[in-house]
Amino acid sequence: MPDWTKKFKAEYDYARGWLANEANFDTEWQPLVKKLYKLMDAEGFDPSYASALSDLRKDVKHGDKTFLGHKTVTEDQGILKAVGAWTDSGNSVVESRAKMRAAALKLLRHVYLLNRWGSRKVWIVSLPTELRDWPSDDLHGRANTEMAARLLLRSNSEIFNEEAKKHLASATRHGLAWCQKTGMVLANAAKAAEGGKHKSEIGSLELVKRWFADPATSNEDLKTYIARLTKGFKDIIGMLNKGHFVLTDWVPLRNATTANDISFLNSEAFTFTNKAEGMDVVYIEKSFFVDHPGSVLPGHKNWTRVIVHELTHLVCGTEDVNIGNARYAWYGIGPHAGFPGSAAIRNADSWAFFCADCADMLTESERNKALKII
């Protein structure tokens, strides 16, 4: 069963610690290790040093110097030489501290900065499917010989292919655009709640009511909901602007055996509410790219909806409210006496579909399906 305390942030901090002293690495590697350590800021990856990742992917394939440059080697040889643990025979045992330095390089070997736009960046960690745990734990547990370490360090069938990486980066970028449009709608709705009569203000207030007002919801309730939504979407935009946002899968879940763990593995995504991890991370799992029968939104719209849904958990402390069933749109999130506004304002999918509606991304059929009363 996966250890749920082993969040990505813990692996990140551990790897950062092993990179702190470049003198522990091969002389040729020391300038790059110094840059990699600077890349790993205490709060998250620093985009200023993103080029170090490209350098790492090149350097792990560099062998001995030749007149024309470097011999090409397999990545396991490059990494083990970097930490002083390669032998030509492969019959040795890799010293434990060298394994942890190798694990830090293996982690960063599969980190990517994709699709910069302005000050916003999204980092994707795409570790090979051969790994059963975060690199430090997997090498500690399974690399008992140099040959075993070689197998893990040369693994390269990444969990997210190039197309998936681009889709994830694009969904995050579009999610930000949806949130920005939502902020404008909420500004108008706030004016209408205070008596504004402009058509756009009234229309914006009606949009808030559509997703968060049951028949008993008062105007004062609406003001409270608008204030909470406004702060929440503003905070999401601010978080994305920091440039530290990370997408990965929860690697230890790949070994899931219990029903509860398998349910997380087969989910679209999950995160920890209210930044409980200490880092801005969303875990992308098996169903993210699957168009399940009964899903309200298809393809890219749904991927963006999932990102927004998880961001509201991460940043705003929303829940997956369970009244009759978990209140996802496929079940029905239309506010009414059985699912009142006081519940909808806590519900992540209500926030996500409201956000999609503000961005004018819902067809009438999709909107009606999500607003089903049940």
Side-chain angles (χ1 to χ4, degrees), residues 22-40:
E22 67 269 19
N24 290 325
F25 292 79
D26 179 81
T27 303
E28 284 193 19
W29 276 79
Q30 289 177 12
L32 177 56
V33 170
K34 192 172 184 178
K35 291 179 183 177
L36 292 171
Y37 179 69
K38 290 180 178 179
L39 166 77
M40 301 183 82

Side-chain angles (χ1 to χ4, degrees), residues 50-344:
S51 62
L53 295 171
S54 299
D55 293 339
L56 173 60
R57 283 187 269 278
K58 288 187 293 185
D59 286 2
V60 292
K61 297 180 181 179
H62 283 178
D64 295 334
K65 283 186 177 181
T66 68
F67 178 73
L68 297 175
H70 287 267
K71 290 181 180 178
T72 299
V73 298
T74 56
E75 294 188 10
D76 56 313
Q77 182 174 342
I79 292 173
L80 287 173
K81 281 199 169 186
V83 301
W86 173 264
T87 67
D88 290 336
S89 69
N91 294 327
S92 68
V93 174
V94 181
E95 189 266 333
S96 60
R97 289 170 294 182
K99 276 199 292 189
M100 293 304 96
R101 295 195 294 273
L105 295 178
K106 183 62 176 172
L107 174 69
L108 293 178
R109 158 65 183 87
H110 300 283
V111 174
Y112 301 86
L113 173 59
L114 295 181
N115 289 17
R116 293 188 185 208
W117 64 101
S119 62
R120 299 103 182 178
K121 291 93 183 171
V122 55
W123 301 88
I124 294 178
V125 180
S126 184
L127 288 166
T129 57
E130 293 91 338
L131 295 187
R132 301 175 188 171
D133 212 329
W134 299 116
S136 64
D137 290 304
D138 218 5
L139 264 75
H140 174 74
R142 291 202 289 154
N144 297 319
T145 66
E146 183 182 337
M147 293 305 295
R150 289 185 187 187
L151 286 173
L152 290 176
L153 292 172
R154 77 169 68 122
S155 61
N156 199 33
S157 56
E158 293 183 333
I159 192 75
F160 304 122
N161 62 24
E162 292 305 310
E163 184 178 16
K165 291 172 194 170
K166 291 175 183 177
H167 287 324
L168 287 166
S170 177
T172 305
R173 184 174 68 252
H174 284 99
L176 174 63
W178 288 15
C179 291
Q180 290 169 329
K181 291 178 180 178
T182 300
M184 292 186 282
V185 169
L186 289 166
N188 279 329
K191 293 176 183 177
E194 296 293 343
K197 301 296 184 182
H198 193 278
K199 183 178 179 180
S200 64
E201 296 168 352
I202 294 171
S204 294
L205 183 59
E206 290 303 313
L207 210 161
V208 175
K209 289 179 179 179
R210 177 184 292 165
W211 296 99
F212 299 103
D214 65 87
T217 301
S218 68
N219 193 59
E220 289 304 310
D221 292 333
L222 281 172
K223 289 181 182 179
T224 301
Y225 297 166
I226 291 167
R228 178 171 177 178
L229 291 162
T230 299
K231 182 182 185 305
F233 283 105
K234 181 179 179 181
D235 288 346
I236 290 172
I237 293 167
M239 182 276 280
L240 291 174
N241 280 336
K242 290 181 180 178
H244 295 319
F245 182 47
V246 174
L247 298 171
T248 182
D249 74 313
W250 185 293
V251 182
L253 264 184
R254 298 176 185 179
N255 298 316
T257 56
T258 68
N260 184 61
D261 293 343
I262 290 170
S263 71
F264 277 99
L265 178 64
N266 290 329
S267 67
E268 293 173 317
F270 66 91
T271 191
F272 293 89
T273 60
N274 287 329
K275 297 180 176 287
E277 180 162 355
M279 194 171 180
D280 300 319
V281 184
V282 168
Y283 298 95
I284 305 298
E285 300 301 338
K286 282 190 172 182
S287 288
F288 186 89
F289 290 112
V290 178
D291 280 334
H292 289 290
S295 294
V296 176
L297 300 178
H300 197 281
K301 280 201 292 188
N302 192 53
W303 308 336
T304 306
R305 187 275 309 172
V306 173
I307 294 295
V308 173
H309 176 117
E310 298 303 331
L311 287 174
T312 70
H313 283 319
L314 178 67
V315 179
C316 313
T318 61
E319 310 164 35
D320 294 324
V321 173
N322 194 318
I323 299 179
N325 203 321
R327 286 290 173 162
Y328 294 102
W330 59 264
Y331 181 75
I333 54 175
H336 63 291
F339 179 57
S342 58

